[in-house]
């Protein structure tokens, strides 16, 4: 079955360490996205990529970095510069950009806790 | 800028209908979506409506769109315990590459 796999489900890190969250999709989707979810705040877009080797900043990109070397993979690095990194991180993909009816398909998320 | 607003909580009795409301600001949105999130999981697309439609029905789900008032609602008939979740309203807005989400409405079911 096609889908999006995020790993690990839970991640714990010490403050000051960089950490990379994995996201892989086998849906053959062109576009991939990273969202951050905090209680009562909905989803906020961190980075998105419409095509391999290209990505754009979302609304809250500071302290994060991404790469898109392969169509299937869009890893997110949470750097030590991110002031409040503890959150639930969701990866998503879509067949094409939002100008068509191409809804997002989501992974099951990674809960990151930084102490 | 683009904004989508929802109330944070809704409590209904099992077997009653649930109505979750949403308002949005971007009149250029072509598609509006409802997503469901169960605890500890990602979001799952429930249904969507094209902006030139007023209503869409899909089994127990009815979506109503009032484009003049920029108001979207999701009605769940005969609400069951399995419907307990957070429901997100979303629009594809004027930016071709972003979908804007509301803050989510947590639906809880009373016996």
């Amino acid at each position: 079955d096609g889908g999006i796999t995020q790993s690990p489900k839970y991640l714990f890190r010490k403050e000051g360490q960089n950490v990379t969250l994995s996201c892989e999709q086998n849906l053959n989707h062109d576009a991939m996205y990273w969202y951050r979810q905090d209680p009562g705040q909905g989803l906020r877009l961190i980075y998105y990529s419409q095509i391999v080797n290209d990505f754009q900043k979302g609304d809250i990109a500071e302290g994060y970095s991404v790469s898109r070397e392969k169509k299937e993979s869009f890893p997110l690095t949470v750097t030590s510069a991110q002031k409040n990194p503890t959150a639930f991180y969701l990866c998503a993909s879509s067949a094409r950009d939002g100008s068509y009816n191409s809804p997002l398909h989501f992974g099951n998320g990674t809960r990151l806790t930084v102490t | 800028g683009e904004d989508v607003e929802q109330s944070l909580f809704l409590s209904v009795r099992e077997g009653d209908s649930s109505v979750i409301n949403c308002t949005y600001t971007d009149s250029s949105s072509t598609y509006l979506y409802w997503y469901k999130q169960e605890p500890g999981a990602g979001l799952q697309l429930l249904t969507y409506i094209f902006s030139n439609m007023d209503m869409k029905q899909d089994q127990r789900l009815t979506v109503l769109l009032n484009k003049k008032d920029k108001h979207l609602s999701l009605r769940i008939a005969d609400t069951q315990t399995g419907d307990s979740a957070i429901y997100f309203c979303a629009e594809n807005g004027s930016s071709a590459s972003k979908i804007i989400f509301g803050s989510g409405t947590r639906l809880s079911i009373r016996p």
Side-chain angles (χ1 to χ4, degrees):
Chain A
D1 284 340
I4 300 180
T5 301
Q6 289 188 244
S7 61
K9 190 167 176 61
Y10 300 96
L11 193 51
F12 297 89
R13 279 294 183 271
K14 296 285 189 191
E15 199 173 312
Q17 293 179 332
N18 291 357
V19 59
T20 297
L21 283 59
S22 168
C23 177
E24 303 278 332
Q25 55 100 358
N26 60 4
L27 298 166
N28 200 32
H29 283 172
D30 290 312
M32 296 187 74
Y33 308 79
W34 274 104
Y35 287 89
R36 171 182 171 137
Q37 185 177 20
D38 296 284
Q41 290 195 44
L43 276 68
R44 292 184 289 169
L45 182 65
I46 304 172
Y47 267 98
Y48 63 99
S49 168
Q50 294 176 273
I51 197 168
V52 174
N53 291 323
D54 188 47
F55 48 82
Q56 285 78 40
K57 292 182 179 180
D59 301 315
I60 55 163
E62 186 175 346
Y64 299 98
S65 65
V66 292
S67 62
R68 187 85 187 277
E69 296 175 5
K70 297 187 298 182
K71 188 176 185 178
E72 303 80 23
S73 179
F74 191 41
L76 173 75
T77 297
V78 184
T79 75
S80 56
Q82 168 49 232
K83 292 186 175 59
N84 187 16
T86 294
F88 189 51
Y89 290 88
L90 285 162
C91 180
S93 69
S94 66
R96 54 181 86 175
D97 66 33
S99 58
Y100 297 89
N101 184 23
S102 51
L104 297 174
H105 296 254
F106 283 85
N108 280 328
T110 292
R111 186 165 297 281
L112 173 65
T113 303
V114 176
T115 56
Chain B
E2 300 149 337
D3 193 21
V4 178
E5 293 196 355
Q6 303 175 239
S7 55
L8 289 181
F9 300 100
L10 177 66
S11 177
V12 300
R13 196 178 301 277
E14 188 175 0
D16 287 352
S17 292
S18 306
V19 180
I20 302 170
N21 294 301
C22 168
T23 57
Y24 60 97
T25 56
D26 192 338
S27 57
S28 66
S29 295
T30 50
Y31 288 95
L32 296 117
Y33 305 93
W34 285 103
Y35 284 84
K36 177 182 181 183
Q37 184 181 33
E38 296 185 357
L43 278 67
Q44 171 193 2
L45 179 68
L46 270 184
T47 187
Y48 66 91
I49 189 167
F50 187 50
S51 58
N52 69 352
M53 298 168 66
D54 298 324
M55 185 182 87
K56 180 179 180 181
Q57 186 145 7
D58 184 1
Q59 299 182 329
R60 291 192 298 123
L61 305 178
T62 303
V63 179
L64 294 177
L65 176 60
N66 182 327
K67 201 171 179 185
K68 174 176 166 290
D69 294 338
K70 297 179 191 164
H71 183 265
L72 183 73
S73 68
L74 173 70
R75 178 176 179 269
I76 305 172
D78 186 24
T79 308
Q80 303 297 310
T81 54
D83 295 323
S84 291
I86 302 176
Y87 290 82
F88 290 91
C89 170
E91 59 164 349
N92 67 339
S94 57
S95 168
S97 302
K98 294 199 293 184
I99 292 180
I100 309 299
F101 288 86
S103 55
T105 299
R106 184 180 295 274
L107 176 63
S108 60
I109 315 301
R110 306 191 302 273

